[in-house]
Amino acid sequence: MMQAHTYLTFNGNCREAMQFYQQCLGGDLQVQTLHDTELSHRMPDTIKDFVLQAVLTMNSFTLVATDMVQDEGLVKGNNVSLLLTFNNKREIKNCYQKLSEGGEQTHPLHHTYYGGLAGNLRDKYGNCWLLTLEAE
Amino acid sequence: MASFKVNPYLNFDGKAEEAFNFYKSVFGGEFAGAGIMRMGDAPGCENITAEEKNRVMHVSLPIGDGAVLMASDTMPSMGHELKVGNNNYISLHPDSKEEADRLFAGLSAGGKVEMPMEDMFWGDYFGSFQDKYGVQWMINCNTKQ
């Protein structure tokens, strides 16, 4: 069966961002920098700490990220969000507060007409999240 | 430790229905639940324009192993502005090279190929592209399994 993961791009602060997500979401974080690769001796020192790949895993959740930016530069969009679906009111409120710290609460948690809670936020690294609570 | 499910959620400027019919033609399957829910179906949306009533409030397409692709359209009358970025890829992990090739060919049609499918030094069969709706995808097939 096919899996689908989210793969985020940063430009030098990938490790910091993934550590922040780990604090918010939990899980196990593995980080590989350019310094860890065979070609690192041919790279300037300024980019050796850049992250080639960082993987945050917990249960069925995998979030992958990198500092390797495309040729045209990094463009932070709002057309793709990460949707987190909770089944516990305390957990969704706690997670919303943590993830939105230093970011923007674009649509704070509110009661939906279909009987749950939902909210949007843009975190301090520019990534968009949607949090929803299925009716308990 | 919090427990939650995670899925990519896409946003379009009026093209969600067209895009999801395109994704359904590639992945197969059916839209979950009642199918496409429209803005006009939501309470409080009686006075929006006919064009906005027809926009997608929510659609979801299961694509395998608990992964569900979901989307909605923006609502320009509420000040929503779509900005297509390159900071977020959806990384698919099919079971076989044949399935990887099929997904790559289907989803990248009319889009912009970044890396054609190739055997990579780290052992995966890999490719990436931006589809014709601006969504970025990676196809990753672990051929050592």
Side-chain angles (χ1 to χ4, degrees):
Chain A
M1 285 293 278
M2 183 173 67
Q3 293 189 322
H5 303 151
T6 292
Y7 194 103
L8 300 173
T9 307
F10 298 88
N11 53 1
N13 56 358
C14 179
R15 180 193 292 270
E16 178 195 317
M18 290 296 272
Q19 285 171 342
F20 173 71
Y21 296 147
Q22 186 186 29
Q23 285 166 21
C24 296
L25 306 170
D28 176 50
L29 180 63
Q30 303 285 336
V31 180
Q32 184 188 23
T33 62
L34 291 179
H35 189 71
D36 302 327
T37 66
E38 289 172 12
L39 295 172
S40 70
H41 63 280
R42 289 161 56 181
M43 295 173 190
D45 285 343
T46 47
I47 66 163
K48 280 186 181 173
D49 288 333
F50 277 36
V51 172
L52 184 63
Q53 183 155 290
V55 186
L56 180 64
T57 46
M58 58 179 293
N59 302 330
S60 59
F61 170 68
T62 302
L63 181 63
V64 192
T66 186
D67 278 321
M68 301 298 105
V69 175
Q70 294 179 20
D71 292 344
E72 66 261 38
L74 187 61
V75 181
K76 298 273 184 180
N78 63 5
N79 62 322
V80 188
S81 300
L82 277 109
L83 169 69
L84 303 178
T85 307
F86 292 82
N87 53 23
N88 179 296
K89 196 178 279 182
R90 188 178 50 80
E91 286 179 355
I92 188 174
K93 287 181 173 173
N94 191 16
C95 192
Y96 188 87
Q97 283 309 320
K98 285 183 179 172
L99 272 176
S100 62
E101 193 186 304
E104 189 188 350
Q105 298 193 348
T106 43
H107 200 164
L109 284 177
H110 57 282
H111 290 280
T112 60
Y113 71 87
Y114 48 85
L117 275 177
N120 311 348
L121 66 97
R122 180 189 289 269
D123 70 38
K124 57 183 168 181
Y125 303 103
N127 292 310
C128 298
W129 300 77
L130 286 162
L131 277 64
T132 65
L133 174 73
E134 290 176 334
E136 282 180 292
Chain B
M1 179 79 58
S3 61
F4 51 81
K5 290 182 288 186
V6 61
N7 286 291
Y9 202 98
L10 307 179
N11 216 212
F12 298 90
D13 183 11
K15 294 255 184 187
E17 181 172 12
E18 181 189 316
F20 266 59
N21 279 319
F22 172 67
Y23 297 145
K24 191 169 73 162
S25 76
V26 177
F27 288 106
E30 293 296 330
F31 298 143
I36 293 176
M37 288 188 277
R38 299 184 191 277
M39 295 297 181
D41 300 332
C45 288
E46 294 79 11
N47 297 321
I48 60 176
T49 64
E51 194 275 332
E52 286 204 334
K53 278 183 181 167
N54 197 45
R55 286 186 172 225
V56 174
M57 185 175 68
H58 183 71
V59 60
S60 68
L61 179 68
I63 59 171
D65 208 18
V68 185
L69 212 54
M70 305 187 203
S72 64
D73 277 317
T74 54
M75 284 281 277
S77 67
M78 290 175 66
H80 296 171
E81 202 175 320
L82 189 73
K83 186 174 182 199
V84 176
N86 64 8
N87 58 323
N88 198 324
Y89 285 86
I90 301 171
S91 176
L92 300 175
H93 298 253
D95 290 333
S96 68
K97 275 190 161 186
E98 292 70 32
E99 181 66 357
D101 285 335
R102 194 188 68 77
L103 290 172
F104 188 95
L107 290 171
S108 68
K112 194 173 79 177
V113 171
E114 186 181 31
M115 303 262 284
M117 293 302 302
E118 270 182 51
D119 287 310
M120 304 308 273
F121 66 91
W122 64 83
D124 283 357
Y125 185 56
F126 176 88
S128 63
F129 56 91
Q130 184 180 51
D131 74 26
K132 58 184 169 181
Y133 301 102
V135 178
Q136 298 195 118
W137 302 82
M138 292 177 173
I139 314 270
N140 238 300
C141 181
N142 184 339
T143 52
K144 287 182 291 193
Q145 277 176 351

